[in-house]
Amino acid sequence: MPIRAIIADDEPYLARFLSDELKKVWPELEIVAMLGNGTDAAKSIDALEPDVAFLDIQMPGMTGLEVAQGVEGKTLCVFVTAYDEFALKAFDEGALDYLLKPVNSERLAKAVNRVKQRLDAAMGEEASAVPANLAAALQKLLHGAAAGTTAAKPHLRFVRAHERNAKGEQVLQIDVNDVLYFDAADKYTCVVLPSGEKLLRTSVSELEAELDPSLFQRIHRSTLVNLKFVHATRRDESGRMFLKIKDHHRELPVSRAYHEAFARM
């Protein structure tokens, strides 16, 4: 069975260049999709379950890092990045590979060999291709985190949701302590409250960077949960984890990268 891959980059000429270079160093690789944004890349990974995903970090919709956080199956992620040396060290902590723009043929060949070794080692295993320590490494990158850069900034206490009624549009001031969870919804973020749902024009990533991490935890590429409302966890027969929220009907799926954070519940 051929090894299958997707390429996600919002610059089409760079995606085509990478595709052409991959054909030279890995001719048996089958490119099954080329996407121009992170949202489509995430959907493609879920639907096609490719063996490898080459993800640009800075893409519309979702960053490549956010896409990788939501990987549930066997897909290995290789990042294409212009990040500096500090960020690249975080990739090594997460046991992922990366390609620095502009892509160098020799470096690409090394990355391909590393991916092949990972694929051989994972043969027959059902565990996620995303390492357990990946979440922490990706969080550093998503926040642009050098140590202590956000220490002096106060955490977000309120969010503003826009609501339209008969008298026009009003802006609601919502205390984050009352929020059950935040969930990405197309171009907006859904704020889920005990009383119902509201929409924000702020992304989940932007919220995560400003919220108190001792109160809010990312459990999926699209979901931030208020830990004080977590009632219990459940695992299904395949080992997937779900969170039960107090006084709420919906169970929330937990990406494998975050299982460890809730393993003792």
Side-chain angles (χ1 to χ4, degrees):
M1 182 177 293
I3 303 299
R4 300 157 67 247
I6 69 164
I7 295 174
D9 196 313
D10 62 331
E11 298 179 89
Y13 71 95
L14 290 178
R16 288 194 298 270
F17 176 78
L18 177 57
S19 177
D20 291 341
E21 291 299 303
L22 281 167
K23 289 176 183 177
K24 296 176 185 177
V25 299
W26 199 353
E28 63 272 28
L29 182 69
E30 180 183 352
I31 307 296
V32 294
M34 296 180 68
L35 300 315
N37 62 72
T39 304
D40 287 344
K43 292 177 180 178
S44 182
I45 290 174
D46 290 343
L48 301 176
E49 296 187 345
D51 300 285
V52 191
F54 293 89
L55 304 172
D56 186 17
I57 286 183
Q58 295 173 307
M59 292 187 290
M62 292 182 184
T63 68
L65 302 174
E66 290 172 313
V67 174
Q69 283 184 306
V71 171
E72 291 290 343
K74 63 180 182 178
T75 304
L76 295 174
C77 296
V78 177
F79 293 117
V80 184
T81 175
Y83 271 51
D84 61 15
E85 185 178 355
F86 170 80
L88 298 181
K89 288 180 180 178
F91 287 122
D92 291 334
E93 291 174 15
L96 291 173
D97 212 341
Y98 59 87
L99 298 168
L100 192 61
K101 291 183 177 181
V103 175
N104 176 279
S105 298
E106 183 178 351
R107 181 66 185 85
L108 177 59
K110 290 181 179 180
V112 165
N113 286 333
R114 186 174 182 183
V115 170
K116 287 181 178 179
Q117 292 172 2
R118 287 276 301 276
L119 289 171
D120 289 341
M123 193 69 68
E125 295 182 4
E126 295 184 2
S128 171
V130 180
N133 62 331
L134 174 59
L138 293 185
Q139 296 290 40
K140 289 181 182 179
L141 294 172
L142 284 169
H143 298 314
T149 53
T150 58
K153 186 177 179 180
H155 296 301
L156 190 66
R157 293 182 56 200
F158 298 92
V159 292
R160 293 181 176 182
H162 294 259
E163 183 177 68
R164 184 172 295 277
N165 56 31
K167 296 182 180 180
E169 186 175 69
Q170 64 177 349
V171 180
L172 304 176
Q173 192 89 338
I174 300 172
D175 190 328
V176 299
N177 288 291
D178 298 330
V179 176
L180 301 180
Y181 61 92
F182 296 97
D183 199 40
D186 296 325
K187 297 180 181 180
Y188 298 91
T189 295
C190 184
V191 185
V192 182
L193 301 158
S195 58
E197 300 179 357
K198 306 297 179 184
L199 292 178
L200 299 182
R201 294 172 181 171
T202 307
S203 72
V204 168
S205 293
E206 291 171 322
L207 288 168
E208 184 181 22
E210 297 187 63
L211 290 166
D212 184 350
S214 68
L215 183 63
F216 284 89
Q217 167 76 52
R218 189 189 281 260
I219 62 168
H220 191 271
R221 67 163 72 100
S222 62
T223 310
L224 279 170
V225 68
N226 189 335
L227 295 176
K228 75 176 186 178
F229 290 111
V230 175
H231 174 64
T233 63
R234 179 183 68 84
R235 288 181 184 266
D236 64 13
E237 294 180 355
S238 65
R240 292 190 63 194
M241 181 182 288
F242 298 85
L243 290 189
K244 294 185 176 182
I245 304 299
K246 295 177 183 177
D247 301 320
H248 188 64
H249 64 281
R250 181 185 171 195
E251 287 187 330
L252 305 179
V254 182
S255 293
R256 292 187 187 275
Y258 299 104
H259 278 200
E260 188 175 352
F262 298 94
R264 294 184 179 87
M265 290 192 65

